Amino acid sequence: MAEGRRDPPHPLLPLPPASKRPCLRPAPRGPGPGPGYGSGLTSHRQRSPESLLDCAAKAVAEKWAFERVEERFERIPEPVQRRIVYWSFPRNEKEICMYSSFQCRVAGEEGPSTATSGVVVVGVGPTTTAGGGGTTTGTTTVGTTGGVGTGDALPFRRGIRLLDTGCVENVLQVGFHLSGTVTEPATTLEPEVTHKVAISFDRCKITSVTCSCGNRDIFYCAHVVALSLYRIRKPEQVKLRLPISETLFQMNRDQLQKLVQYLITAHHTEVLPTAQKLADEILSSNSEINQVHGAPDPTAGASIDDDNCWHLDEDQVREQVKQFLSQGGYYGSGKQINSMFAKVREMLRMRDSNGARMLTLITEQFMADPRLSLWRQQGAGMTDKCRQLWDELGALWVCVVLNPHCKSEEKSSWLMQLKKWSDMDVCPLEDGNYGSELPNITNALPQSNLAQDSLSRPRRTVFSRAVEACNLHWQGSHLQRIISSDYYMSPSYQRDEESLLFNPQGLPLWLDHVPTACARVDALRSHGYSREALRLAVAIINTLRLLQQREMDIYKHQKKGFHSICSCPSPDLLQRGVTTTTNLEGWVGHPLDPIGCLFTTLTETCRVDDDSTMDTGEGEPRRPVYHHVPVWGSHDGGESYLTLALEVTLMGMGQQRIMPEGLYAQEKVCRNEEQIVTKLQELELDNVLVQTLRRQAIQLLEAGPFSGLGEVIHRESVPMHTFAKYLFSALRPHDADLAYKVALRAMRLPVLESSAVSGDMGQPRHGISIVTNRYPRWFTLGHLETQQCELASTMLTAAKGDMLRLRTVLEVIQKNIHSSSLIFKLAQDAFKIATPADSPPDITLLNVALELGLQVMRMTLSTLNWRRREMVRWLVTCATEVGLRALVSILQSWYTLFTPTESTSIVAATVMSHNTILRLSLDYTQREELASCARTLALQCAMKDPQNCALSALTLCEKDHIAFETAYQIVIDAASTGMTYSQLFTIARYMEHRGYPLRSFKLASLAMSHLNLAYNQDTHPAINDVLWACALSHSLGKNELAAIIPLVVKGVHCATVLSDILRRCTMTAPGLAGIPGRRNSGKLMATDKAPLRQLLDATISAYINTTHSRLTHISPRHYGEFIEFLSKARETFLLAQDGHIQFGQFIDNLKQIYKGKKKLMMLVRERFG
């Protein structure tokens, strides 16, 4: 056909660029109308072989643009055109689902191969034939129910409901253009609405969609889905026409004019201006439109030069990513972006070019995130959720550039773009705020210097690995043979020779940097080459097996050699000869997640999926079910992909690796470890898997420096607590001895040890690898200690009732756990397990809990711990449950466990309580033994800390006269040196309450000798004690009152307090306490005689001094209060014989001295003359 320029589509008709067709063409046709001509396509319900026409048409429709077909053949019979047009519409519903929901995974899907062979029907919806050919071959149907399932609100599910309820009508296919109407049923809130839908397609891909609903999303709306599924499921009900230009060829001039005029009449408001413009240009001989032979046809399919890809709204992708990023770390935004990443992987798996295209759009928005420059300026790290998203972005790009069938031009373009992003200042670094210590992705050799300064390391961004992956290729013959054949082996006559390509059994090896090799596996799997990914994964596992065995052999040989040289080699000697840092980078927490990649690749082929399952990205995922699938080409009949998955995961988790630098890198190690353990826990362990588990656990214990569970480990080696907890739980039902051996070995945390050597407790230590001088910054140390505690708790729970195992676990805990709070938690857990509510306590486990509690007491005795009181109370409770001997023991050894205050106020008080006696059901002898220990403790504590323990000691000893007298004497002896008036007053009140008034008076006198109240301390808390002491003295008699008044006069200088004491002493006669042998005169005491005369003089003097002090800085707002104060002073003055004279002289003196305060003195004269 002739070529010409195509005009852009009219803005009211947003159609893609169409192939150009000649306006006129000779009319020869094929032999009459073909299938589908007229009202619809015929449908044959019985299966029959496809015709040669359909076979050819399907192949052409999928691979060739229709314009190329027209160029290649001068004449194309109409039946052939019809079959090409018919088969050009997408046939796989999974592809429609992929573009209308975040995730669509169908059972047994292995990439695009399922799109062109066989029928995959998921759900219970009706299945129709493929059309005029009368065969179902080539049509794939996905879930038609979904009314109440997960993802019910997604466009794909909604589209299915619209289709099933008959809402799709007026469906017409004209060439490569499909149109129809979809009616949304009325609801209680919305009326019925009909939407017009138009779809353009080419080579089995939808290239453009238009819907009047105005949907703005990265996914197709439900109406587009409904129309697309209608065309796939009911092709015989679709009116099929050839491209409109073919129909125009059949018309003469009058018919063409009539068509144009009717079209303009029907849509004159929309197309009349455009029609007139085109008419003017056509009538102008010099117009540009007349220089082009042919005219555009929107129904003729895409041009040869157009990209053949599915319709993807790039603007919406950008907008949604930008919106999600702007929401920061809020819930939902990260989940949505992860769903978009999953969509990219899904597209890659379907070998859809939009995968890389969509990832590019996402990356552009990530790089444009304004927070990047802000974080860089502030020197602050991004949030953990953002870091995870960036990691996934970098891993996806590695996967994209490792596409085994990408063109060199594509890879060059990606490399240029990745370098551009990586060179930007705001591009996040691979390991956070630190430079990378990890080797280059293409370099399998270890780096020589681990201690190099971070400033000298090359700058590695999240895209560095993708840039390096661009240098990898798939052309190696050995690699090609591995991934292309299940039976690739070395010749039998070469198997005795050392080889880098095959193991001794002749199976192929792939000696590559392990994360890089696993990245290849991930790329193969992600691009739909599942079988090839499995083959390479098996080769990698065979390689790791061989390396593990060689490491073990070398370690055993060197260890044996050292023992032959000297019977007891020193740890340092063995360390230098045996252990080296073989693993410079850990596989767990690695940016490429090699272990997770291998596990997922191997288990996917073993997964048993429900045929009605379609994961649309919503709802809680169900636990997967796996079955054994034999390894293709394996000579070992017992080996399956499931056993390989378990084996390699155990090998990777058990790898000894140095803790990486930086907070994020360390958190990533912990997070990835927990993720892998979660995957392992999904496996139902049968006999075959248990044998694999046992074999690998034994190898890890014996593997030397290769293993984190080996006999010797590096001081900064990542602990194995989380991994060992899984191994213990999985192994214990089948091999308890091995389970405990693994868990006990894993309890080590050498980074906290003062010595660098770390081995089995009770076993000879053989050193560790080189120890650095710096103390490592382990930001996740708290989390690691918690995991260590959980492992110990798991062992304690499992060992209940087994005295020997409990003792072994206890010793390991006491040796390796250094946090008092965690040991306390273990003690509480053991106590809870040992004392079930519905059965007798387990005394062995109770003793373990007590031992742990005693260790906590010793650890926290001299340190500050906000939970100390709780710990002390718990220990007493635990000892009570154990029995009398435990209580006696802690009472007798209190000085190593408690402070004196804790011993008397908590421990002894609780032990001697009525509840404890009842709980233990003690007889008299046992009660006396316990009481004697408590009294001895109380006296010892009172001697050591009389200030805080004297009162408690008196309380505990009050039933034993000798002990009580001893405690009282301790108080008396300490009163003059170390005790405060407050403590003495408290003890004095106690003695009075217990019926010892004279002893109470003595203690009160001692307290008064320590007291000093200034003139302005009229609200001092000791005032009540002073008043009580004076009242006590007054009640005892005149002699006692005479003895305490000098102490009061000496220590109290507050006038109001002294006047209050004076008033109280004059109200009643002294000696009302009723002490035997004492006579009470019953007479009131006079203030002008001893002993009250001294108190009166001191009170008057205090008022005079206080008055002068207050007048020095008095303000007018306090004048009224001052006048009232003088009134109280006058009352005291009048108690003296010449009190009125003294008070008058005192007032006159004030007037003379403070005559400058005229207003105040006027108030004084008004009140006092």
Side-chain angles (χ1 to χ4, degrees):
M1 60 178 287
E3 293 294 331
R5 185 183 64 84
R6 291 173 289 175
D7 283 354
H10 191 276
L12 296 177
L13 302 172
L15 297 173
S19 298
K20 299 173 288 297
R21 290 179 173 270
C23 294
L24 296 175
R25 192 177 68 175
R29 298 287 174 183
Y37 181 82
S39 62
L41 296 175
T42 59
S43 175
H44 300 274
R45 295 296 179 184
Q46 297 180 352
R47 292 181 61 89
S48 60
E50 279 190 335
S51 66
L52 185 59
L53 172 59
D54 273 317
C55 291
K58 284 174 63 177
V60 170
E62 186 175 359
K63 301 298 183 183
W64 284 22
F66 194 64
E67 184 180 8
R68 183 178 295 278
V69 177
E70 291 183 312
E71 287 183 349
R72 177 67 176 81
F73 304 100
E74 182 178 355
R75 295 181 180 180
I76 306 174
E78 184 174 315
V80 176
Q81 292 190 51
R82 285 184 177 278
R83 300 318 292 161
I84 293 176
V85 169
Y86 171 82
W87 287 113
S88 292
F89 195 82
R91 313 159 202 165
N92 190 345
E93 288 190 10
K94 293 195 297 291
E95 294 172 325
I96 306 298
C97 181
M98 182 169 66
Y99 280 92
S100 55
S101 61
F102 264 124
Q103 186 175 3
C104 173
R105 181 186 54 77
V106 180
E109 180 182 341
E110 293 188 0
S113 58
T114 58
T116 57
S117 62
V119 181
V120 180
V121 181
V122 180
V124 295
T127 303
T128 64
T129 58
T135 175
T136 57
T137 303
T139 302
T140 304
T141 307
V142 179
T144 59
T145 51
V148 294
T150 60
D152 189 51
L154 292 178
F156 187 78
R157 291 291 193 189
R158 290 177 52 219
I160 291 176
R161 288 204 307 273
L162 291 172
L163 175 64
D164 290 344
T165 53
C167 296
V168 182
E169 297 175 324
N170 305 319
V171 182
L172 173 65
Q173 179 180 341
V174 180
F176 297 86
H177 183 81
L178 182 70
S179 62
T181 58
V182 180
T183 303
E184 284 273 9
T187 64
T188 55
L189 300 177
E190 298 290 339
E192 180 179 281
V193 182
T194 299
H195 300 288
K196 296 180 180 179
V197 184
I199 299 174
S200 296
F201 54 91
D202 177 61
R203 283 169 275 181
C204 298
K205 294 182 177 67
I206 292 177
T207 57
S208 174
V209 298
T210 306
C211 182
S212 60
C213 71
N215 174 66
R216 299 292 294 169
D217 199 352
I218 61 174
F219 297 127
Y220 301 163
C221 66
H223 315 111
V224 172
V225 172
L227 181 59
S228 302
L229 297 183
Y230 186 98
R231 171 61 178 79
I232 292 174
R233 297 185 181 182
K234 303 178 181 180
E236 76 284 356
Q237 299 180 24
V238 178
K239 297 178 182 179
L240 176 62
R241 300 289 187 272
L242 293 178
I244 191 65
S245 55
E246 294 290 341
T247 304
L248 296 178
F249 292 151
Q250 302 175 28
M251 296 182 181
N252 57 32
R253 183 186 180 285
D254 292 337
Q255 290 173 321
L256 288 171
Q257 183 170 357
K258 182 178 289 188
L259 172 65
V260 173
Q261 289 185 217
Y262 269 96
L263 180 62
I264 293 174
T265 300
H267 304 283
H268 63 278
T269 57
E270 292 89 358
V271 303
L272 184 58
T274 304
Q276 185 61 55
K277 176 184 176 183
L278 293 174
D280 292 341
E281 292 185 4
I282 290 173
L283 292 175
S284 174
S285 59
N286 297 326
S287 65
E288 185 177 355
I289 198 171
N290 284 323
Q291 307 302 315
V292 178
H293 183 66
D297 181 358
T299 67
S303 171
I304 296 175
D305 300 327
D306 291 340
D307 292 332
N308 180 230
C309 59
W310 284 78
H311 170 71
L312 180 68
D313 193 331
E314 296 187 357
D315 292 336
Q316 279 303 303
V317 173
R318 295 189 186 97
E319 186 61 32
Q320 291 211 11
V321 176
K322 183 178 180 180
Q323 179 183 349
F324 293 148
L325 290 175
S326 67
Q327 295 173 7
Y330 295 107
Y331 177 79
S333 59
K335 181 180 178 181
Q336 294 294 331
I337 293 179
N338 276 321
S339 297
M340 297 181 77
F341 287 154
K343 180 59 62 179
V344 170
R345 286 193 177 272
E346 186 182 355
M347 291 176 174
L348 296 178
R349 193 178 187 93
M350 298 297 291
R351 300 173 199 169
D352 187 337
S353 60
N354 278 339
R357 181 179 165 205
M358 184 172 178
L359 185 61
T360 302
L361 298 173
I362 293 173
T363 308
E364 289 173 350
Q365 293 306 307
F366 266 69
M367 293 301 298
D369 189 348
R371 294 177 298 172
L372 291 178
S373 57
L374 183 63
W375 285 328
R376 185 172 183 271
Q377 292 170 3
Q378 295 177 346
M382 63 178 65
T383 63
D384 188 58
K385 289 183 179 179
C386 287
R387 282 291 330 187
Q388 294 179 45
L389 294 176
W390 276 100
D391 283 348
E392 178 63 14
L393 189 68
L396 272 174
W397 272 114
V398 172
C399 189
V400 167
V401 301
L402 280 178
N403 181 357
H405 288 95
C406 75
K407 300 176 182 178
S408 58
E409 301 82 24
E410 284 182 312
K411 183 174 285 190
S412 299
S413 174
W414 292 332
L415 177 60
M416 185 181 303
Q417 185 62 65
L418 288 168
K419 285 184 175 180
K420 178 182 176 182
W421 289 328
S422 189
D423 290 341
M424 295 175 66
D425 292 337
V426 296
C427 186
L429 301 181
E430 184 177 62
D431 55 355
N433 297 326
Y434 291 84
S436 176
E437 289 184 351
L438 305 183
N440 185 291
I441 190 173
T442 58
N443 183 8
L445 298 177
Q447 303 296 310
S448 58
N449 186 9
L450 280 176
Q452 59 180 333
D453 188 80
S454 60
L455 295 177
S456 64
R457 303 175 191 139
R459 181 176 180 268
R460 294 185 59 82
T461 70
V462 292
F463 300 116
S464 294
R465 294 185 180 274
V467 171
E468 294 161 2
C470 290
N471 298 322
L472 301 176
H473 60 81
W474 298 86
Q475 282 72 43
S477 60
H478 183 58
L479 177 59
Q480 285 294 318
R481 289 171 181 166
I482 289 175
I483 65 177
S484 61
S485 173
D486 294 322
Y487 303 99
Y488 175 46
M489 299 182 68
S490 67
S492 57
Y493 61 85
Q494 293 181 354
R495 294 182 186 176
D496 294 334
E497 303 175 5
E498 187 73 18
S499 173
L500 296 178
L501 302 181
F502 302 93
N503 67 6
Q505 292 75 38
L507 298 175
L509 305 176
W510 181 245
L511 288 171
D512 196 357
H513 177 234
V514 173
T516 306
C518 295
R520 290 182 181 271
V521 173
D522 188 36
L524 288 169
R525 168 180 162 269
S526 297
H527 287 90
Y529 302 99
S530 301
R531 182 68 62 88
E532 291 82 356
L534 284 172
R535 292 166 182 156
L536 183 56
V538 171
I540 294 172
I541 293 172
N542 288 331
T543 307
L544 293 178
R545 284 172 170 173
L546 184 62
L547 293 177
Q548 184 187 46
Q549 186 60 47
R550 288 181 179 176
E551 289 274 358
M552 189 185 306
D553 293 342
I554 293 173
Y555 174 68
K556 289 182 178 179
H557 175 74
Q558 293 186 348
K559 181 179 177 182
K560 182 179 179 181
F562 276 104
H563 279 283
S564 64
I565 296 173
C566 52
S567 58
C568 184
S570 68
D572 292 338
L573 182 63
L574 188 61
Q575 161 188 323
R576 289 194 297 270
V578 175
T579 308
T580 56
T581 306
T582 57
N583 304 313
L584 296 182
E585 57 178 341
W587 301 335
V588 176
H590 192 278
L592 298 178
D593 189 19
I595 301 304
C597 165
L598 291 177
F599 182 88
T600 302
T601 302
L602 293 164
T603 55
E604 263 189 351
T605 194
C606 303
R607 184 163 177 161
V608 178
D609 283 319
D610 183 359
D611 286 342
S612 61
T613 298
M614 183 185 69
D615 184 1
T616 54
E618 291 190 358
E620 290 295 327
R622 288 179 291 181
R623 177 170 178 166
V625 178
Y626 300 102
H627 70 290
H628 287 282
V629 176
V631 176
W632 291 310
S634 172
H635 295 283
D636 184 1
E639 189 170 80
S640 70
Y641 290 108
L642 203 55
T643 60
L644 289 183
L646 178 60
E647 181 180 356
V648 74
T649 306
L650 297 177
M651 199 181 302
M653 288 285 285
Q655 175 208 31
Q656 183 180 174
R657 51 199 181 272
I658 303 301
M659 179 67 77
E661 292 186 5
L663 170 62
Y664 177 72
Q666 294 177 13
E667 287 180 340
K668 189 173 181 181
V669 168
C670 300
R671 182 170 54 251
N672 191 215
E673 195 172 39
E674 291 170 357
Q675 291 169 347
I676 295 175
V677 167
T678 300
K679 292 180 179 180
L680 287 173
Q681 290 171 340
E682 293 175 348
L683 297 178
E684 292 287 346
L685 297 179
D686 55 18
N687 291 334
V688 177
L689 292 179
V690 168
Q691 292 306 314
T692 302
L693 187 68
R694 291 184 69 255
R695 182 174 63 254
Q696 189 57 225
I698 293 171
Q699 288 181 336
L700 288 174
L701 289 172
E702 299 175 353
F706 178 85
S707 168
L709 292 172
E711 193 174 5
V712 291
I713 57 173
H714 192 281
R715 177 171 178 255
E716 297 179 33
S717 177
V718 175
M720 297 281 112
H721 306 135
T722 303
F723 178 45
K725 182 182 175 184
Y726 163 77
L727 289 177
F728 179 80
S729 301
L731 283 170
R732 194 172 69 87
H734 311 284
D735 190 338
D737 291 338
L738 179 59
Y740 278 99
K741 188 173 183 181
V742 169
L744 293 171
R745 175 77 62 83
M747 279 294 293
R748 301 170 296 189
L749 190 55
V751 73
L752 295 181
E753 300 291 344
S754 57
S755 170
V757 179
S758 178
D760 274 341
M761 189 198 67
Q763 300 292 334
R765 297 184 184 178
H766 299 289
I768 65 166
S769 51
I770 51 174
V771 179
T772 56
N773 293 325
R774 68 179 180 86
Y775 187 81
R777 296 187 65 188
W778 282 31
F779 299 96
T780 56
L781 186 58
H783 171 79
L784 296 173
E785 288 187 290
T786 301
Q787 295 299 311
Q788 183 188 35
C789 175
E790 290 185 5
L791 174 61
S793 180
T794 303
M795 287 194 289
L796 285 176
T797 304
K800 179 180 178 181
D802 189 328
M803 183 180 299
L804 181 60
R805 292 201 193 281
L806 281 174
R807 180 55 55 183
T808 304
V809 174
L810 174 62
E811 292 173 355
V812 170
I813 291 172
Q814 292 175 327
K815 176 181 184 298
N816 291 288
I817 298 184
H818 306 279
S819 168
S820 59
S821 59
L822 292 178
I823 297 179
F824 181 52
K825 181 180 182 302
L826 283 174
Q828 289 178 306
D829 292 346
F831 179 80
K832 185 176 181 180
I833 298 167
T835 54
D838 54 353
S839 59
D842 185 307
I843 192 64
T844 306
L845 191 54
L846 264 178
N847 279 310
V848 169
L850 180 63
E851 284 289 333
L852 292 174
L854 294 174
Q855 183 179 355
V856 172
M857 291 299 101
R858 288 188 285 267
M859 292 174 68
T860 58
L861 178 59
S862 58
T863 60
L864 295 176
N865 192 304
W866 64 275
R867 300 184 65 188
R868 173 72 183 181
R869 289 182 66 84
E870 177 192 357
M871 294 173 176
V872 173
R873 293 183 185 278
W874 178 88
L875 182 69
V876 176
T877 302
C878 182
T880 303
E881 289 294 327
V882 174
L884 176 64
R885 291 298 98 200
L887 289 176
V888 171
S889 175
I890 65 172
L891 289 175
Q892 292 177 344
S893 58
W894 68 268
Y895 46 86
T896 64
L897 304 172
F898 315 108
T899 64
T901 304
E902 293 169 346
S903 299
T904 54
S905 62
I906 301 177
V907 179
T910 306
V911 168
M912 295 302 297
S913 68
H914 182 66
N915 291 336
T916 303
I917 303 298
L918 291 179
R919 179 74 181 84
L920 293 175
S921 302
L922 302 178
D923 57 26
Y924 176 77
T925 305
Q926 292 171 327
R927 287 200 301 270
E928 282 303 308
E929 179 184 7
L930 201 60
S932 175
C933 290
R935 289 192 292 268
T936 302
L937 174 149
L939 294 175
Q940 291 173 348
C941 291
M943 286 290 292
K944 189 171 184 178
D945 186 8
Q947 296 91 339
N948 298 309
C949 301
L951 179 59
S952 298
L954 288 168
T955 304
L956 292 167
C957 296
E958 62 183 9
K959 293 184 179 180
D960 184 283
H961 177 71
I962 297 177
F964 186 82
E965 291 297 326
T966 304
Y968 174 71
Q969 191 58 47
I970 291 173
V971 174
I972 296 300
D973 294 342
S976 59
T977 54
M979 300 187 71
T980 65
Y981 63 84
S982 177
Q983 294 167 339
L984 289 171
F985 274 131
T986 302
I987 298 174
R989 285 177 180 268
Y990 164 80
M991 297 297 287
E992 184 197 26
H993 183 67
R994 289 292 185 271
Y996 299 101
L998 294 178
R999 292 184 176 183
S1000 177
F1001 169 75
K1002 185 173 183 178
L1003 291 171
S1005 300
L1006 291 172
M1008 287 298 304
S1009 65
H1010 290 71
L1011 182 66
N1012 186 16
L1013 284 181
Y1015 75 93
N1016 57 351
Q1017 290 182 302
D1018 51 356
T1019 59
H1020 195 279
I1023 291 176
N1024 287 331
D1025 290 325
V1026 173
L1027 295 176
W1028 168 82
C1030 292
L1032 173 66
S1033 303
H1034 186 269
S1035 66
L1036 291 176
K1038 185 176 180 180
N1039 293 335
E1040 284 76 8
L1041 183 62
I1044 204 168
I1045 282 180
L1047 299 176
V1048 172
V1049 170
K1050 180 180 178 183
V1052 180
H1053 306 287
C1054 181
T1056 55
V1057 175
L1058 291 173
S1059 64
D1060 193 9
I1061 295 172
L1062 182 63
R1063 179 181 58 79
R1064 291 170 185 252
C1065 290
T1066 58
M1067 291 178 64
T1068 59
L1072 298 180
I1075 299 176
R1078 295 271 185 110
R1079 293 181 60 189
N1080 181 13
S1081 63
K1083 295 181 180 180
L1084 296 176
M1085 298 181 66
T1087 58
D1088 58 342
K1089 296 180 180 179
L1092 295 186
R1093 177 65 190 218
Q1094 183 182 2
L1095 180 60
L1096 176 61
D1097 291 343
T1099 305
I1100 291 174
S1101 177
Y1103 267 116
I1104 293 173
N1105 294 333
T1106 302
T1107 299
H1108 288 292
S1109 298
R1110 294 184 66 170
L1111 284 173
T1112 304
H1113 302 291
I1114 194 169
S1115 62
R1117 70 173 182 271
H1118 293 138
Y1119 286 174
E1121 179 183 344
F1122 178 73
I1123 297 300
E1124 295 300 323
F1125 174 77
L1126 288 180
S1127 298
K1128 293 181 179 180
R1130 182 172 59 179
E1131 294 176 1
T1132 302
F1133 272 83
L1134 293 179
L1135 292 176
Q1137 289 185 351
D1138 56 348
H1140 63 285
I1141 298 175
Q1142 293 184 41
F1143 185 73
Q1145 294 174 349
F1146 173 55
I1147 293 297
D1148 292 340
N1149 192 25
L1150 291 179
K1151 294 176 184 178
Q1152 182 65 31
I1153 296 174
Y1154 301 102
K1155 59 185 177 180
K1157 301 181 183 296
K1158 296 181 180 180
K1159 184 176 180 179
L1160 177 60
M1161 293 301 107
M1162 181 183 68
L1163 294 175
V1164 170
R1165 281 193 295 271
E1166 289 178 355
R1167 175 68 67 90
F1168 305 108

